[in-house]
Amino acid sequence: MFLGDQGEWLFGFFRSLGRCSGIMAELWVILHGLHHAWRLRFRQVVVESDCFEAVRLANEVDLGQAGNMLITAVRDLVKHD
């Protein structure tokens, strides 16, 4: 769910991910949300999540996780100018 700066609902989406962990599901949500926000020309986006591990993986430079394509894709969108 995406909310505006005044808390108003902007858009939402759903997707079947099949079988995956909660952290991977949260990373998919972050990835698709950022991608969709970018397409809609939102350039200042705040991502909030109740999954601390997913947020940590998206933001930290953790060389042990650098090979994971999903984490790399989220990090690339976070760094997108």
Side-chain angles (χ1 to χ4, degrees):
M1 173 173 41
F2 285 78
L3 304 176
D5 61 354
Q6 301 298 311
E8 72 277 16
W9 186 86
L10 297 177
F11 64 89
F13 60 92
F14 70 93
R15 179 183 177 136
S16 175
L17 297 175
R19 189 174 176 169
C20 68
S21 71
I23 293 169
M24 288 295 117
E26 193 72 19
L27 286 167
W28 276 111
V29 169
I30 293 169
L31 176 65
H32 287 294
L34 288 173
H35 192 80
H36 191 61
W38 186 258
R39 281 195 313 255
L40 292 174
R41 301 193 187 283
F42 291 106
R43 296 301 183 253
Q44 294 181 343
V45 177
V46 175
V47 176
E48 294 182 2
S49 172
D50 59 356
C51 183
F52 174 78
E53 185 67 11
V55 173
R56 185 188 70 77
L57 288 171
N59 287 306
E60 279 189 11
V61 178
D62 184 348
L63 297 177
Q65 294 289 336
N68 185 301
M69 297 283 287
L70 179 57
I71 294 169
T72 301
V74 170
R75 289 177 183 171
D76 287 347
L77 272 176
V78 168
K79 291 186 292 187
H80 211 98
D81 189 12

